[in-house]
Amino acid sequence: MTTSFLARWLPQPNNGSRREQLRACAGAICGLLLTGITCHFLLAPDSASIYLIAPMGASAVLLFCLPASPLAQPWSVVGGNVVSGLVGAACVKWLGPGVGVAALAACLAIAAMFALRCLHPPGGAVALTTVVGGASVQAAGFEFVFVTVLFNSAILVACAVLYNNLTGRRYPHTQQLTAAHPHATRDEVPSARLGFTADDLDAVLRQHGEVLDISRDDLQAIFLQTELRAWQRRFGVVTCLDIMSKDVRSVEFGTPLDEAWHTMRTHDIGALPVLNRARRVIGIITQTDFLRHGGLDDYQGMRHRLRTILQRTGLSHTERPEVVGQLMTHKPHTAHLGTPIIDLVPLMADAGYHHIPIVDGEDRLAGIISQSDLMAALYETRFAEAAA
């Protein structure tokens, strides 16, 4: 009983890697240092004025440790801090300083942040600072908010934008729109037809009724990845190495288009990886690329235009595409030998990829997986499970 009671008060394990922890710490010191130096130069060159307020330390925790949090987005930081400061300054102006006024300021600041959709926890500290921050802060009133609080927040956010993106974190972390259906129909994408749907998630969030420190799209992505992991645990892990085609036909950047088309037709394949001399994948060319440049929407003239594209001009310079590199898709999506095939399902089912080149540890082409390869592997996996 004692152990269970104490466990409720102990912190949960931290899922952040050591590298992520160091990244966040480095970001906080860089952001606060740059904000402090800049604001000191702009607002207090004689060191007699307030140029950096304590709540910025709390904002830095959110901006650099939790950049994906809805509470750490630019409008939340700047809007939340400034609105809270305005509420606090108004309370002092009309009611005077005091503990009761400070509590009221924090309460009204929270309500204002909810109303303006800029909830930011350090905003409560900003509201308190404007009330109990001392005679100089109280005397500055709204000027303290529009100058010190605004400048501190804006510069710290600018630092966060630069630092987070340079270190591989998407910021601002805006809500990602649902990916368009690759076939432009009203059906759900294939992966959403089983399991939970976006409507299910929205209904549960409304029923939950609490503020969550995670965006809806991140929450949906976590649930989907959990479903895939559960599938792997149940049916086993099949990797790309297990099912890929290894005898892959490929072309180079300078391969003539007629030669690439002939290879596709001879081997009845829909795509060719494009390799450089080190056999690293630099692109992919598909039958769709030929048809699109041949006038796919012009049914009557498509045959003539496609024949024109495939016919060599013999000229050294021409505006018409002559080689694979002029039609190919650059930087195609690839997977590694050890990638579980279940990770390819969203790409092929939802994103519309039909072929995914597979690369080895040195990023050299090792094979290719098509939609038919993936379907056969998933069928065999389920069939083996049913037969067991």
Side-chain angles (χ1 to χ4, degrees):
M1 177 67 81
T2 303
T3 303
S4 177
F5 174 79
L6 292 176
R8 291 199 297 266
W9 297 89
L10 294 176
Q12 297 297 314
N14 192 324
N15 293 324
S17 65
R18 184 57 57 86
R19 179 179 181 180
E20 176 62 17
Q21 294 175 28
L22 292 174
R23 188 201 69 81
C25 292
I29 190 173
C30 291
L32 288 171
L33 185 61
L34 186 57
T35 300
I37 292 174
T38 305
C39 289
H40 184 275
F41 175 78
L42 295 175
L43 308 179
D46 56 357
S47 298
S49 304
I50 299 174
Y51 59 88
L52 185 64
I53 57 176
M56 289 302 107
S59 293
V61 174
L62 288 168
L63 283 168
F64 298 101
C65 299
L66 304 169
S69 168
L71 308 178
Q73 302 315 300
W75 170 239
S76 296
V77 179
V78 178
N81 285 338
V82 172
V83 166
S84 298
L86 292 175
V87 170
C91 288
V92 170
K93 182 177 180 63
W94 295 331
L95 302 175
V99 176
V101 175
L104 177 63
C107 171
L108 295 177
I110 293 173
M113 287 188 287
F114 267 124
L116 297 174
R117 296 164 58 185
C118 57
L119 191 64
H120 185 60
V126 174
L128 288 178
T129 300
T130 58
V131 177
V132 299
S136 59
V137 173
Q138 295 165 3
F142 293 107
E143 181 181 350
F144 168 76
V145 179
F146 285 121
V147 177
T148 307
V149 175
L150 178 59
F151 273 60
N152 280 189
S153 302
I155 295 174
L156 191 62
V157 166
C159 293
V161 171
L162 180 63
Y163 182 83
N164 283 320
N165 283 283
L166 286 177
T167 55
R169 296 294 177 270
R170 175 166 58 92
Y171 186 82
H173 193 92
T174 53
Q175 178 77 28
Q176 296 295 291
L177 298 176
T178 302
H181 195 292
H183 305 299
T185 66
R186 289 177 293 181
D187 290 326
E188 293 280 358
V189 292
S191 65
R193 296 172 194 171
L194 294 175
F196 78 93
T197 66
D199 291 338
D200 294 330
L201 179 59
D202 290 336
V204 172
L205 289 175
R206 287 193 298 269
Q207 183 180 1
H208 187 71
E210 296 182 14
V211 178
L212 298 179
D213 192 12
I214 183 172
S215 64
R216 178 190 171 281
D217 60 320
D218 284 341
L219 189 61
Q220 183 173 356
I222 290 173
F223 285 158
L224 288 173
Q225 290 171 17
T226 303
E227 282 190 337
L228 294 178
R229 186 175 181 85
W231 193 94
Q232 288 180 355
R233 174 174 49 78
R234 181 179 178 187
F235 298 108
V237 178
V238 180
T239 66
C240 293
L241 175 62
D242 299 322
I243 71 165
M244 70 182 187
S245 300
K246 300 177 182 178
D247 185 16
V248 182
R249 302 301 169 187
S250 61
V251 291
E252 297 181 350
F253 185 98
T255 301
L257 290 175
D258 61 336
E259 183 178 325
W261 179 261
H262 179 71
T263 300
M264 286 185 181
R265 302 302 295 166
T266 300
H267 296 278
D268 194 21
I269 52 180
L272 294 170
V274 183
L275 311 182
N276 60 17
R277 292 186 177 180
R279 290 193 58 79
R280 291 188 171 90
V281 181
I282 61 172
I284 190 169
I285 187 167
T286 67
Q287 290 184 356
T288 303
D289 294 322
F290 282 99
L291 296 176
R292 183 182 300 113
H293 285 82
L296 182 61
D297 296 326
D298 182 8
Y299 302 105
Q300 295 181 349
M302 183 174 65
R303 181 177 181 181
H304 172 72
R305 293 185 61 182
L306 183 58
R307 183 180 298 171
T308 301
I309 289 177
L310 297 178
Q311 185 178 8
R312 303 187 192 186
T313 63
L315 302 176
S316 58
H317 296 84
T318 175
E319 295 181 357
R320 201 181 74 192
E322 291 268 339
V323 297
V324 165
Q326 294 172 286
L327 292 190
M328 72 179 187
T329 299
H330 295 266
K331 297 180 180 179
H333 193 99
T334 61
H336 286 84
L337 292 172
T339 300
I341 62 170
I342 199 67
D343 291 352
L344 306 185
V345 171
L347 296 173
M348 289 188 163
D350 300 347
Y353 291 96
H354 297 277
H355 303 82
I356 297 182
I358 310 302
V359 297
D360 60 18
E362 297 181 348
D363 288 333
R364 292 187 171 90
L365 181 70
I368 194 168
I369 290 179
S370 65
Q371 285 182 328
S372 58
D373 295 327
L374 186 62
M375 289 175 60
L378 294 176
Y379 170 77
E380 288 295 333
T381 302
R382 293 298 300 269
F383 182 77
E385 174 70 14

